[in-house]
Amino acid sequence: MKRYRFIFKGLVQGVGFRPFIYSFAKKYELTGFVKNTGEGVLAEFQGDITSEQITHYIITNLPKNAILEKIEFYEIELVVDEKEFCIVESQKNRISTVLPYDLGMCENCKREFYDKSHRHYHNVFISCTDCGPRYTIIEALPYDRENTSMKQFKFCSDCEREYFTPDNRRFNAQSTTCPVCGPRLFLFSFAEKKHIHGEAIELLDFVSQKILEGYIVAIKGIGGFHLVCDPYNETVVKRLFESKRREGKPLALVAQDIEVVKKYCYVNKMEEDIFSSQRCPIILFEKKTEHFSHVNSNLHTLGIMRAYTPILDYILSKTGRDFLIATSANLSGIPMIIDESDAIQKLEGICDYVLYHNRKIVRRCDDSVGFVVKGKFVLTRPGRGFAPLRLKLSLSQFVEKNILALGGHEKATVALKKEDEVIISQYLGDLDTKEYIDFYKSALSDLIFLYNLEYDYIACDFHKNYFTTSIAEDIAIKDNKRIVYVQHHIAHVFSCMLENNLERCIGFAFDGTGLGLDGNIWGSEGFIIDKSDVKRVFHLKYYPLVGGEKSIKEPVRLAYYFAYEIDKSFAEEYFANSNFLSKIVKAARLLNYPLCSSFGRIFDVVGVLLRCGEKNSFEAQIPMVLESIADKTEDGFYDFVMNFEHEIEIDIVYILQQIINDIKRKTDRSLISAKFHNTVAKIVVEVAKRLRENYNKDVVALSGGVFQNKLLLEKTVSMLEKEHFKVYFNSFFPINDGGISAGQIYYTIQLLKNC
């Protein structure tokens, strides 16, 4: 007879870990207890068993959503006359650094939902230890029902029995509920200015019919509202685009299963596994038909997620559609709506009905978005199923001090370094409006509170005009904290280094624009990095950012400038409104426009030249079209010359001149686009080869929003690997500006380690 105390650390709360431990103890006739603590889960086992047997069983039979990172155990004294094994009340003296993320409906719950003989038949809030809301209902830690927004719903006798029965799948599942004791559905009609009454399924049947009739319904999900409508109805799709003022921006689709997706898209094994998992992100699939071109604006991908709630799954089943549109319910410039009163107040004219429930969403959390490339899922927006992102630091990455990082200005996230972990918030949006700034400030306070963070350093962007930088400076003064300024592109590369445990590399950061250390606008940067020592060694030759910030929304200005400088007669003939644009060229010679090295702006320029559009109504609209039209079988590229006077420089004008010559020769634009993509990839390879010779480094890290271009990323990685480089790119942290906060954390860590 032995007694052991075990401490389990990792994602072990909110994933059915305690019931799993209880069942194990009962199976082997052990006595003792298990409970949540601030450090994880603590259990004591007493019986005729060894610590090796306990460890082996737990490691090999983990609940599917649990992540076990560390096990501590030791033998302790026997407890006399102990009769049973039980789950005891959680210990609240310390705050855990593990928050469970929201999970979509599991297969067991789906089967019960459609089983007429089961007591959870048509329970629209069905969940268990394997699925349902977590992160968006937590008010405090540890993760117990009284610390969630479910506490207002008192158990009926049947739910209470399930919750306290050890061999039940809902044993200690905090979101357990049923139609008798759980949340209620409500339906508001804008046309009638009143609520429509009925039981849950009656309301869902009504909504399903209205969607088929061409109406738009706002539906409250786990982390916020979605606007749902019929993608087969082009009139209603056009109305949705217009009412949301998101011209051309692709709309997300929702499907019941992967077999439906395979009818319209190419699907590989990793995509199938991620789509079918409880994480339920929007995955950008390569389409194989022209269906839904009016939904995705003729792009080469369709963004599709699995129906993550019973409500969405039932409506899909009832309408008989392969897909429904399910896009975030928000107006331009404001975050996703999470409150029904806001939905009824703000969505009139955008949708026709609001279907909501009375379970409070504690924190907003949008759909996650990503794509698969080179066997990795590249996360571009952290949300449901992924947020909060959490990375365990290696021993070589660890420092004692805690750090708060405030990220950038667009696609903002907040990052915390607490003890041996880095935690990244959900997507917080572009901080251009009061509404997004308020959301950001709320999320910042929320994360610090939940993780009980006491920090020593604040890291922020080098750009002094960013809101995140100004708030960092305010906090530093108020709380007497030390501040670390991290240049935008350096932070990009360090985010990739952090997740791949790198200290030294050749780093490339390609994106739109970011303030450089020399006061110019950067965006095509190559670095040699050795711990905290960063040397800029490559960029495009500076060009004037003609039009300033207007060139981001209206890249036709910059495209005309380049075309005019290269071939005046071509520019005047090729561009319809050349009188207006010629004034811009004159202004460029008179005004002191900022100098820029951005590759993102060059993708804009090439897209304009290839008739992919003249304005970006949303970020990277023209580059997305440029990628879509590229002939993926073309392997040619344009010539370029590397200048070695100071850093390695490449003059983009020479490449654009060749593109204009191809246009004049009436070369198919799909070939020109492909050759341009190939050229950018080849630039990375040739620069990396020269840097390997000069600095004896063969590790390359790729980051920045330009590498959200799947075609470019895949080509660049393949070409680098062919030259025997070890290549890394962001997949865990967002490859775009959402990863900036993580990079700020890691740069600060390296400074502290090497100062």
Side-chain angles (χ1 to χ4, degrees):
M1 184 76 75
K2 300 279 187 178
R3 187 178 186 89
Y4 299 98
R5 175 171 293 166
F6 274 72
I7 299 172
F8 304 98
K9 297 183 179 181
L11 185 53
V12 289
Q13 294 185 20
V15 290
F17 193 79
R18 286 181 299 167
F20 161 68
I21 292 295
Y22 180 94
S23 298
F24 158 70
K26 288 296 186 182
K27 178 178 181 178
Y28 287 91
E29 299 181 343
L30 306 177
T31 62
F33 65 87
V34 62
K35 65 179 178 180
N36 281 342
T37 74
E39 296 178 273
V41 170
L42 184 148
E44 291 187 6
F45 305 100
Q46 182 167 304
D48 183 13
I49 197 168
T50 66
S51 58
E52 290 80 7
Q53 288 173 314
I54 296 171
T55 303
H56 179 265
Y57 182 91
I58 288 170
I59 289 175
T60 55
N61 295 279
L62 274 178
K64 64 179 178 179
N65 292 307
I67 301 174
L68 190 55
E69 295 174 346
K70 188 175 182 181
I71 300 177
E72 299 174 4
F73 65 88
Y74 45 93
E75 189 174 344
I76 59 176
E77 291 184 7
L78 295 171
V79 174
V80 180
D81 296 330
E82 190 175 53
K83 303 296 185 186
E84 60 183 1
F85 192 94
C86 58
I87 295 177
V88 301
E89 185 178 350
S90 299
Q91 187 175 318
K92 299 179 175 62
N93 59 325
R94 290 184 60 197
I95 297 296
S96 169
T97 56
V98 182
L99 278 169
Y101 38 71
D102 299 315
L103 295 167
M105 181 171 59
C106 69
E107 286 303 312
N108 285 327
C109 283
K110 184 173 181 176
R111 185 174 59 253
E112 292 169 355
F113 178 82
Y114 289 107
D115 182 356
K116 292 182 179 180
S117 66
H118 200 278
R119 91 169 195 90
H120 283 287
Y121 173 63
H122 282 176
N123 173 12
V124 297
F125 298 101
I126 191 171
S127 66
C128 67
T129 53
D130 291 332
C131 66
R134 271 105 167 117
Y135 182 53
T136 52
I137 63 172
I138 294 171
E139 296 174 340
L141 290 172
Y143 178 58
D144 293 324
R145 193 174 177 100
E146 64 266 24
N147 291 331
T148 74
S149 59
M150 290 298 298
K151 66 180 181 292
Q152 71 181 91
F153 304 106
K154 304 305 178 185
F155 284 136
C156 66
S157 58
D158 288 332
C159 284
E160 187 172 39
R161 184 180 66 254
E162 286 183 335
Y163 185 82
F164 288 107
T165 301
D167 60 354
N168 193 286
R169 207 174 72 256
R170 294 183 177 86
F171 179 47
N172 265 255
Q174 310 307 339
S175 55
T176 294
T177 189
C178 76
V180 174
C181 63
R184 294 285 185 270
L185 277 184
F186 303 87
L187 181 63
F188 181 80
S189 166
F190 282 111
E192 299 179 55
K193 303 291 184 186
K194 68 176 185 179
H195 282 84
I196 297 171
H197 300 289
E199 295 299 317
I201 293 300
E202 292 173 338
L203 296 181
L204 294 188
D205 288 344
F206 179 89
V207 162
S208 300
Q209 182 58 39
K210 289 301 176 183
I211 288 172
L212 290 176
E213 291 173 8
Y215 293 94
I216 300 173
V217 183
I219 298 178
K220 187 176 181 181
I222 287 179
F225 277 85
H226 286 98
L227 293 173
V228 180
C229 66
D230 184 0
Y232 298 85
N233 185 328
E234 294 194 26
T235 302
V236 75
V237 173
K238 183 180 178 183
R239 175 193 161 196
L240 183 58
F241 272 123
E242 291 173 350
S243 61
K244 284 200 72 178
R245 298 193 294 277
R246 55 180 291 166
E247 178 191 350
K249 190 171 184 179
L251 298 167
L253 297 171
V254 60
Q256 282 190 294
D257 58 59
I258 195 65
E259 297 307 316
V260 171
V261 180
K262 289 177 180 178
K263 290 165 60 176
Y264 304 92
C265 302
Y266 299 101
V267 179
N268 62 38
K269 181 64 166 60
M270 176 171 276
E271 289 168 335
E272 180 169 353
D273 289 346
I274 295 170
F275 182 88
S276 303
S277 74
Q278 267 74 69
R279 289 177 177 250
C280 301
I282 296 171
I283 299 176
L284 302 179
F285 291 98
E286 293 284 334
K287 67 179 186 179
K288 61 183 179 184
T289 74
E290 291 307 309
H291 290 87
F292 307 111
S293 57
H294 60 290
V295 171
N296 78 332
S297 300
N298 290 306
L299 296 179
H300 65 295
T301 58
L302 285 173
I304 309 170
M305 65 179 170
R306 182 170 70 84
Y308 70 94
T309 64
I311 290 173
L312 286 175
D313 197 271
Y314 180 86
I315 293 173
L316 271 162
S317 176
K318 192 70 177 179
T319 58
R321 297 301 201 205
D322 284 344
F323 297 119
L324 292 175
I325 287 172
T327 186
S328 300
N330 64 325
L331 301 172
S332 179
I334 70 169
M336 186 183 198
I337 291 171
I338 62 172
D339 181 78
E340 47 270 18
S341 60
D342 277 350
I344 293 172
Q345 178 185 348
K346 295 176 180 177
L347 294 179
E348 185 171 10
I350 293 178
C351 65
D352 304 291
Y353 298 91
V354 177
L355 180 71
Y356 66 93
H357 55 75
N358 59 341
R359 181 183 66 214
K360 180 184 177 184
I361 297 174
V362 176
R363 65 188 51 78
R364 179 183 287 105
C365 193
D366 216 324
D367 308 311
S368 292
V369 183
F371 59 89
V372 173
V373 65
K374 304 292 285 188
K376 289 186 176 182
F377 182 67
V378 177
L379 184 67
T380 59
R381 185 170 75 189
R384 182 192 58 257
F386 291 83
L389 297 168
R390 176 175 162 274
L391 182 74
K392 199 84 166 175
L393 294 172
S394 68
L395 287 176
S396 64
Q397 294 173 317
F398 179 75
V399 293
E400 291 287 344
K401 301 295 186 182
N402 289 336
I403 305 163
L404 171 66
L406 300 189
H409 182 78
E410 296 180 338
K411 299 179 178 63
T413 57
V414 174
L416 319 176
K417 183 269 173 189
K418 181 177 181 182
E419 298 169 0
D420 62 347
E421 295 175 330
V422 175
I423 300 107
I424 309 294
S425 74
Q426 72 273 38
Y427 164 83
L428 304 176
D430 298 345
L431 306 182
D432 294 320
T433 63
K434 179 182 182 300
E435 289 81 3
Y436 267 114
I437 287 173
D438 288 345
F439 174 33
Y440 176 90
K441 291 193 289 188
S442 172
L444 172 61
S445 300
D446 179 50
L447 217 60
I448 292 172
F449 164 74
L450 278 175
Y451 287 103
N452 194 25
L453 181 73
E454 295 180 6
Y455 50 91
D456 306 283
Y457 290 86
I458 304 174
C460 64
D461 199 277
F462 174 71
H463 199 309
K464 294 297 181 74
N465 291 333
Y466 280 1
F467 169 76
T468 50
T469 305
S470 66
I471 199 172
E473 292 173 336
D474 291 344
I475 294 172
I477 294 170
K478 176 174 165 287
D479 296 340
N480 193 27
K481 302 295 182 184
R482 298 176 185 177
I483 192 165
V484 177
Y485 297 98
V486 187
Q487 197 278 329
H488 187 89
H489 301 91
I490 293 172
H492 266 308
V493 177
F494 270 81
S495 71
C496 179
M497 293 170 65
L498 171 59
E499 70 172 82
N500 292 291
N501 196 15
L502 304 176
E503 288 189 332
R504 299 168 180 84
C505 71
I506 301 167
F508 291 95
F510 291 179
D511 69 356
T513 55
L515 181 63
L517 296 175
D518 61 359
N520 293 319
I521 305 300
W522 290 5
S524 62
E525 313 314 305
F527 303 102
I528 291 293
I529 298 177
D530 193 332
K531 297 183 177 178
S532 60
D533 183 23
V534 181
K535 182 180 180 182
R536 186 189 188 212
V537 289
F538 164 74
H539 60 86
L540 291 183
K541 183 180 178 181
Y542 286 126
Y543 55 84
L545 188 60
V546 175
E549 288 192 4
K550 286 184 178 179
S551 68
I552 299 172
K553 294 283 189 184
E554 300 177 21
V556 65
R557 297 166 178 262
L558 190 55
Y560 185 84
Y561 167 79
F562 275 118
Y564 190 92
E565 293 295 305
I566 292 167
D567 189 331
K568 178 182 175 182
S569 60
F570 166 81
E572 291 177 340
E573 181 181 341
Y574 196 69
F575 290 89
N577 196 4
S578 57
N579 288 333
F580 166 68
L581 294 170
S582 63
K583 292 178 182 177
I584 291 171
V585 172
K586 291 176 184 176
R589 292 169 179 169
L590 295 172
L591 300 176
N592 189 25
Y593 282 121
L595 294 178
C596 181
S597 65
S598 166
F599 244 133
R601 300 287 73 83
I602 299 304
F603 272 81
D604 281 337
V605 167
V606 176
V608 172
L609 291 173
L610 296 187
R611 305 295 197 198
C612 298
E614 293 192 347
K615 295 182 180 180
N616 283 315
S617 60
F618 59 90
E619 186 186 16
Q621 180 181 11
I622 291 173
M624 287 166 67
V625 178
L626 182 67
E627 178 188 1
S628 289
I629 67 170
D631 181 347
K632 295 178 176 58
T633 65
E634 170 64 36
D635 57 7
F637 58 89
Y638 295 107
D639 293 331
F640 55 88
V641 177
M642 292 193 286
N643 185 325
F644 300 99
E645 186 175 348
H646 299 292
E647 299 103 342
I648 301 173
E649 284 186 356
I650 290 176
D651 190 346
I652 197 66
V653 170
Y654 182 45
I655 297 171
L656 294 176
Q657 189 172 32
Q658 296 171 75
I659 290 173
I660 287 173
N661 288 339
D662 266 355
I663 293 171
K664 290 163 70 175
R665 286 192 289 264
K666 301 190 183 307
T667 303
D668 191 286
R669 68 176 190 157
S670 66
L671 299 178
I672 300 174
S673 174
K675 286 171 66 178
F676 173 68
H677 281 84
N678 296 342
T679 303
V680 178
K682 189 167 180 61
I683 285 172
V684 173
V685 174
E686 293 304 316
V687 171
K689 285 165 65 177
R690 179 56 64 100
L691 295 175
R692 178 165 59 186
E693 292 174 12
N694 294 347
Y695 296 94
N696 194 30
K697 285 182 167 35
D698 65 354
V699 173
V700 175
L702 305 173
S703 191
V706 167
F707 287 112
Q708 287 180 116
N709 182 317
K710 183 178 176 180
L711 174 62
L712 175 66
L713 182 59
E714 197 158 29
K715 281 185 175 291
T716 306
V717 174
S718 296
M719 291 169 66
L720 283 166
E721 288 176 340
K722 188 177 288 188
E723 295 292 338
H724 308 294
F725 286 97
K726 298 170 188 169
V727 190
Y728 299 90
F729 53 89
N730 297 72
S731 59
F732 184 80
F733 296 126
I735 200 167
N736 55 36
D737 282 10
I740 289 290
S741 60
Q744 292 168 348
I745 291 279
Y746 195 43
Y747 180 79
T748 305
I749 286 173
Q750 291 299 329
L751 279 181
L752 294 173
K753 282 171 61 72
N754 298 288
C755 63

